[in-house]
Amino acid sequence: DGWNGVNFTRDRSKLVKAIETTSFGSGGGCGLAGSAQALLTSVEALSTVQHRRKTVFYLTIGLDVPIVGPAEGCKEQAQGYVYQAMVLAQRSNVNVYTLDPSGLRAVVSDFDRRQIEYLQETAENTGGRAIINTNEPASHVDAILDEARAYYLIGYELPKRAADDRFHRIEVKVNRPGVEVHTRSTRFDAKPVADPGKSPPPLESAV
């Protein structure tokens, strides 16, 4: 809740200062919006890089925020940031990898389950992976970087189907044995923007 954000920088002293001056607490749940907004800011910064696959390492234990469905107060604000981040990530080829720093964890409550689902759904809907239930998350970094180095960018167009401002499930299959295909789990069909000042539709209506 006492997060002191810093923009992209090569200055290690600024990063260290931001980390050392960050405090944590419940804050009535309002810190959720800060974490979600940080994700959106990172995606926005990378979205301007054209014709390349971009990677975001999202270090978080997960948020008690539904990706879809009703949300109130700070959770609704955080949900809006995540929705915008997911849509922009899909359109600009930004892949979010969620890394849970808490290590092996027992899912003993609905709160734990919602945190895990947030990690999984944020990653899967942007083409990344959720690195969870491991005491060595850093051991997965090399594989993530390998995915960023070699990939196929496939484009397609759906005939006679109007955009509807909704997420749709997608699946890519290959007939070559022993090959693992990793793609985004959804796509977002955005309608042309008639009024730039009009707010985006509620997330629940987009699925």
Side-chain angles (χ1 to χ4, degrees):
D1 303 321
W3 178 69
N4 297 292
V6 62
N7 289 327
F8 287 102
T9 178
R10 295 180 182 274
D11 189 335
R12 293 175 61 89
S13 64
K14 290 183 179 180
L15 295 174
V16 171
K17 181 179 179 181
I19 294 171
E20 291 179 342
T21 57
T22 296
S23 60
F24 300 92
S26 61
C30 290
L32 298 173
S35 176
Q37 187 177 24
L39 172 62
L40 174 59
T41 300
S42 299
V43 173
E44 287 176 335
L46 292 175
S47 66
T48 58
V49 180
Q50 299 295 315
H51 312 301
R52 296 179 62 182
R53 188 180 197 271
K54 285 80 67 177
T55 300
V56 169
F57 289 88
Y58 186 22
L59 190 66
T60 174
I61 61 173
L63 304 183
D64 182 16
V65 173
I67 299 297
V68 297
E72 298 180 354
C74 291
K75 290 186 179 182
E76 182 179 19
Q77 185 181 11
Q79 187 186 64
Y81 287 137
V82 175
Y83 166 78
Q84 295 177 62
M86 286 171 48
V87 171
L88 183 58
Q90 289 190 2
R91 299 181 68 178
S92 53
N93 199 16
V94 177
N95 303 265
V96 179
Y97 290 81
T98 54
L99 284 80
D100 181 3
S102 60
L104 293 172
R105 58 193 292 184
V107 180
V108 297
S109 67
D110 287 341
F111 178 80
D112 297 322
R113 177 183 54 78
R114 290 191 296 268
Q115 284 186 314
I116 293 295
E117 287 178 351
Y118 176 86
L119 294 169
Q120 293 173 324
E121 293 175 9
T122 300
E124 291 171 1
N125 282 289
T126 59
R129 299 177 186 268
I131 309 304
I132 56 179
N133 291 326
T134 175
N135 289 329
E136 297 181 351
S139 65
H140 295 265
V141 172
D142 286 343
I144 293 173
L145 296 178
D146 285 341
E147 289 183 2
R149 294 186 187 102
Y151 61 93
Y152 288 97
L153 184 60
I154 302 174
Y156 63 92
E157 183 177 359
L158 298 177
K160 299 180 181 180
R161 179 168 180 169
D164 56 7
D165 271 345
R166 290 178 179 270
F167 287 99
H168 298 272
R169 288 288 177 184
I170 59 175
E171 184 178 10
V172 178
K173 297 180 179 180
V174 296
N175 57 8
R176 181 177 178 181
V179 174
E180 177 187 0
V181 178
H182 182 66
T183 67
R184 299 184 188 92
S185 59
T186 63
R187 72 173 194 279
F188 183 74
D189 287 346
K191 290 182 178 179
V193 179
D195 181 3
K198 186 178 180 181
S199 59
L203 180 58
E204 187 174 8
S205 67
V207 295

